[in-house]
């Protein structure tokens, strides 16, 4: 492992204990009801142990004790940073940083101690290091924070060492994660690499939870190889691109996933036959149809994890949400009383200052020709980037976007949004190629009441159509919908094709 330099622990952290008895007493004195404070303190002590001259066997026992105490505290703070709008608020950001640093330092400490032990005795250390680095990466995916290359390289370092010592497939129980049963180093590594390969940033929080759960169950079915499988039934994925540099010689760089894809096919077939996701151990987060879409997406990602990105470069102005997308296509702005965002509120303030009144914002429902508020992003190497010094709203993905930067109005989805070093945001933009019609939902209003205007978009692909509506539109499958301002006025949503944080896309039949 001469090709990797482990990140050094800080040397100025005082050890609060020097044996198991004093460590247990120290843990008992920590604020159990304040998991953030406890995890931060535990993380510091992990670094202190890593930098110490304690006997290796004692250091491992102390790390194991701290790990057991950290797991429930980590679970308690995880919801604080799961797919929050970006940039994250300071407290949420701190929760992510504490969790990620804990797993990074714990994995590094185990990996640094491993060379002090014979192969038969080091398997547990490499096993726990693999688990820790996998968890550190997952923190990044949950928080939509760019995952550093170092974590992938640390996983490869474990793969290298475990392969050389013949320890990859030795199964061990893990009392801190009893729900996993017995796991091997290869299983943790395969799990981590598969989640990485499916580009987890483009998944919603619910999709990521289901995908991670499914791949955790199939982790032991994948196998590492030095050469791709020449069996036509095989399916090997090249991992070399994850390393970020030429892979050191001798490291197995191919992951055989054909048994995993076979499991995916079996789950899809069972869902089509009426089995519930919960019965198939996929959880309750997604409907059967949504699980089928996700499993197909995972399988396609494992088939070819290279991304086809736009080749556009330069600057692009993006409008976010269905209402602003409607304005981009029609030149009309839909405003609702009580729902103005910061940009709309600023416009209203300017009108009031100039004219002494603001007719648009005082009406319960109004349509008015206005400039469409947008944000300027940069297109760099196929990615959309919002530099830290550019103002804009806090964003989540997948979300609906529109742009008129190239002259014609385009409707699309921002996917894979993540924070990158320096405070910038990065994302992929996927534009719909279908012909777009912007319209409104037509609904009868109760006497004396005005219904809000709900923008919709019809996507025409030859004779086929699909419908995009805001998530709050309240449309139900197999119930008729009437539209205004479009060439199709009566239709029935039959299937959810796509779901974002602020929109739903349906397959439809015309009435």
């Amino acid at each position: 492992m001469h090709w990797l330099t482990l990140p050094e622990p800080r040397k100025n952290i005082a050890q609060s204990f020097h044996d198991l008895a004093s460590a247990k007493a120290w843990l008992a004195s920590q604020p159990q009801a304040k998991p953030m404070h406890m995890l931060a303190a535990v993380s510091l002590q992990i670094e202190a142990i890593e930098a110490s001259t304690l006997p290796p066997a004692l250091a491992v026992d102390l790390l194991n004790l701290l790990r057991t105490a950290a797991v429930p505290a980590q679970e308690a703070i995880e919801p604080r940073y799961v797919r929050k709008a970006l940039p994250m608020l300071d407290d949420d950001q701190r929760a992510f940083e504490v969790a990620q640093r804990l797993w990074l330092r714990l994995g590094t400490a185990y990996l640094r101690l491993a060379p002090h032990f014979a192969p038969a005795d080091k398997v547990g250390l490499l096993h726990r290091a693999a688990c820790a680095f996998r968890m550190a990466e997952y923190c990044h995916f949950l928080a939509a924070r760019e995952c550093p290359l170092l974590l992938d390289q640390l996983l490869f370092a474990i793969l290298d060492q475990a392969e050389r010592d013949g320890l990859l497939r030795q199964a061990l129980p893990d009392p801190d994660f009893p729900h996993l049963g017995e796991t091997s180093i290869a299983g943790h590594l395969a799990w981590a690499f598969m989640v990485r390969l499916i580009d987890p940033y483009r998944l919603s929080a619910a999709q990521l939870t289901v995908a991670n759960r499914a791949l955790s169950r199939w982790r032991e079915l994948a196998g590492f190889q030095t050469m791709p499988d020449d069996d036509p039934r095989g399916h090997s994925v090249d991992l070399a691109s994850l390393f970020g540099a030429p892979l050191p010689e001798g490291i197995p760089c191919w992951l055989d996933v054909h048994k995993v894809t076979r499991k995916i096919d079996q789950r899809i077939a069972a869902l089509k036959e009426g089995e519930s996701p919960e019965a198939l151990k996929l959880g309750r987060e997604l409907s059967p149809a949504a699980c089928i879409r996700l499993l197909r997406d995972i399988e396609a990602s494992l088939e070819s994890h290279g991304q086809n990105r736009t080749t556009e470069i330069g600057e692009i102005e993006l409008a976010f949400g269905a209402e602003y997308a409607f304005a981009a296509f029609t030149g009309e702005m839909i405003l609702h009383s009580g729902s103005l965002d910061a940009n709309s509120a600023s416009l209203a303030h300017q009108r009031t200052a100039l004219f002494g009144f603001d007719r648009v914002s005082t009406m319960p429902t109004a349509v008015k020709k206005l400039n469409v508020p947008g944000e300027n992003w940069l297109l760099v190497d196929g990615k959309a980037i919002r530099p830290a010094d550019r103002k804009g709203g806090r964003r989540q993905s997948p979300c609906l976007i529109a742009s008129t930067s190239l002259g014609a109005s385009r409707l699309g989805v921002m996917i894979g949004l993540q924070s990158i070093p320096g405070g910038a945001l990065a994302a992929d933009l996927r534009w719909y190629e279908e012909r777009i019609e912007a319209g409104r939902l037509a609904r009868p209003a109760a006497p004396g009441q005005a219904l809000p205007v709900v923008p919709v978009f019809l996507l025409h692909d030859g004779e086929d159509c699909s419908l995009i509506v805001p998530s709050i539109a309240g449309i139900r499958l197999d119930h008729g919908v009437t539209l205004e301002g479009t060439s199709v006025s009566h239709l029935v949503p039959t299937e959810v094709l796509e779901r974002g944080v602020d929109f739903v896309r349906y397959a439809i039949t015309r009435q």
Side-chain angles (χ1 to χ4, degrees):
M1 208 176 66
H2 59 279
W3 46 266
L4 178 67
T5 301
L6 294 177
E8 290 293 330
R10 288 171 288 182
K11 309 290 186 181
N12 59 346
I13 303 172
Q15 283 182 249
S16 297
F17 44 80
H18 294 83
D19 56 30
L20 283 174
S22 58
K24 291 177 181 177
W26 178 83
L27 278 172
S29 70
Q30 297 308 301
Q32 308 293 324
K34 297 180 178 179
M36 277 272 290
H37 294 280
M38 181 178 174
L39 280 179
V42 167
S43 186
L44 285 175
Q45 289 308 303
I46 289 171
E47 282 194 82
I49 293 169
E50 187 182 0
S52 73
T53 57
L54 290 171
L58 175 58
V60 170
D61 288 341
L62 293 174
L63 290 175
N64 290 343
L65 183 68
L66 294 178
R67 180 182 191 257
T68 299
V71 168
Q74 148 70 21
E75 291 175 350
I77 71 166
E78 187 175 281
R80 297 276 299 272
Y81 57 83
V82 174
R83 292 304 169 93
K84 297 298 180 70
L86 300 179
M88 279 197 285
L89 299 177
D90 289 344
D91 287 347
D92 299 335
Q93 170 82 6
R94 174 65 177 156
F96 159 75
E97 290 173 348
V98 167
Q100 189 273 353
R101 184 167 185 82
L102 173 97
W103 292 117
L104 173 61
R105 292 310 335 172
L106 187 60
T108 305
Y110 280 125
L111 193 54
R112 196 183 300 277
L113 286 166
H116 293 281
F117 295 86
D121 298 319
K122 74 167 62 169
V123 61
L125 280 71
L126 295 180
H127 183 276
R128 294 194 167 198
C131 177
F133 294 140
R134 177 185 58 76
M135 292 286 287
E137 286 204 338
Y138 195 56
C139 286
H140 283 271
F141 304 150
L142 288 173
R145 293 290 302 270
E146 184 179 48
C147 190
L149 191 61
L150 172 64
L151 282 170
D152 290 316
Q153 293 178 342
L154 288 167
L155 291 169
F156 278 106
I158 296 172
L159 177 60
D160 183 27
Q161 194 169 159
E163 171 72 5
R164 292 177 187 275
D165 291 336
L167 305 174
L168 268 180
R169 283 295 174 185
Q170 186 171 332
L172 295 175
D174 190 340
D176 296 329
F177 297 94
H179 63 285
L180 295 178
E182 289 197 340
T183 58
S184 67
I185 296 170
H188 275 294
L189 296 177
W191 179 3
F193 286 134
M194 286 191 291
V195 173
R196 191 74 153 124
L197 289 169
I198 65 173
D199 189 9
Y201 296 104
R202 64 192 169 82
L203 303 180
S204 67
Q207 288 175 321
L208 179 57
T209 297
V210 174
N212 187 62
R213 182 184 296 127
L215 294 174
S216 77
R217 293 182 59 81
W218 304 328
R219 63 185 183 271
E220 305 294 342
L221 298 178
F224 291 93
Q225 303 169 322
T226 55
M227 295 293 290
D229 199 332
D230 56 5
D231 186 335
R233 296 172 299 176
H235 178 187
S236 300
V237 181
D238 188 359
L239 300 175
S241 62
L242 298 180
F243 189 74
L247 202 63
E249 189 176 351
I251 298 180
C253 66
W254 293 89
L255 186 66
D256 178 20
V257 296
H258 83 275
K259 292 182 180 178
V260 175
T261 56
R262 188 167 63 191
K263 281 287 186 182
I264 292 174
D265 291 338
Q266 291 170 354
R267 293 296 186 273
I268 291 174
L271 288 165
K272 287 182 175 179
E273 292 172 1
E275 288 276 6
S276 70
E278 188 175 6
L280 296 172
K281 309 298 184 184
L282 296 172
R284 300 179 177 180
E285 290 84 357
L286 300 177
S287 68
C291 278
I292 290 173
R293 291 196 303 274
L294 175 62
L295 290 172
R296 285 174 173 162
D297 197 34
I298 292 173
E299 188 170 30
S301 297
L302 293 176
E303 290 285 350
S304 175
H305 60 274
Q307 294 183 353
N308 295 319
R309 290 179 177 165
T310 176
T311 57
E312 294 180 48
I313 58 173
E315 191 163 297
I316 185 170
E317 185 176 14
L318 299 175
F320 288 84
E323 292 184 0
Y324 290 161
F326 177 88
F329 275 84
T330 66
E332 298 178 332
M333 180 71 73
I334 300 173
L335 298 177
H336 304 303
S337 177
S339 65
L340 296 176
D341 69 3
N343 290 322
S344 298
S346 176
L347 288 171
H349 179 76
Q350 294 172 25
R351 286 193 297 270
T352 301
L354 288 172
F355 306 116
F357 64 89
D358 173 30
R359 291 183 180 176
V360 173
S361 62
T362 57
M363 296 177 63
T365 301
V367 177
K368 183 75 174 177
K369 289 186 179 295
L370 292 172
N371 292 326
V372 181
E375 295 179 12
N376 290 318
W377 290 56
L378 300 176
L379 294 171
V380 181
D381 294 333
K383 282 278 188 183
I385 307 290
R386 192 179 81 184
D389 59 357
R390 293 201 178 183
K391 294 183 179 179
R394 297 175 64 223
R395 301 298 174 195
Q396 289 178 288
S397 71
C399 62
L400 198 65
I401 56 171
S403 178
T404 57
S405 290
L406 294 183
S409 298
R410 291 186 293 174
L411 185 70
V413 179
M414 174 175 282
I415 58 177
L417 180 67
Q418 56 190 280
S419 293
I420 60 177
L425 301 183
D428 291 310
L429 309 181
R430 177 169 57 82
W431 301 105
Y432 293 111
E433 299 296 331
E434 296 89 340
R435 181 172 63 86
I436 310 292
E437 278 190 286
R440 308 180 185 87
L441 282 185
R443 290 172 170 172
Q449 294 185 352
L451 285 176
V453 177
V454 178
V456 300
F457 303 90
L458 268 179
L459 282 63
H460 294 268
D461 184 10
E463 294 299 316
D464 298 324
C465 287
S466 58
L467 177 71
I468 290 179
V469 301
S471 299
I472 59 173
I475 284 180
R476 292 184 293 170
L477 292 178
D478 302 320
H479 285 69
V481 173
T482 301
L483 307 182
E484 295 177 346
T486 58
S487 59
V488 179
S489 57
H490 299 283
L491 53 87
V492 177
T494 57
E495 180 187 353
V496 175
L497 298 175
E498 188 178 358
R499 190 183 296 274
V501 295
D502 60 353
F503 75 96
V504 185
R505 182 185 177 198
Y506 295 95
I508 63 169
T509 58
R510 309 185 194 198
Q511 285 185 317

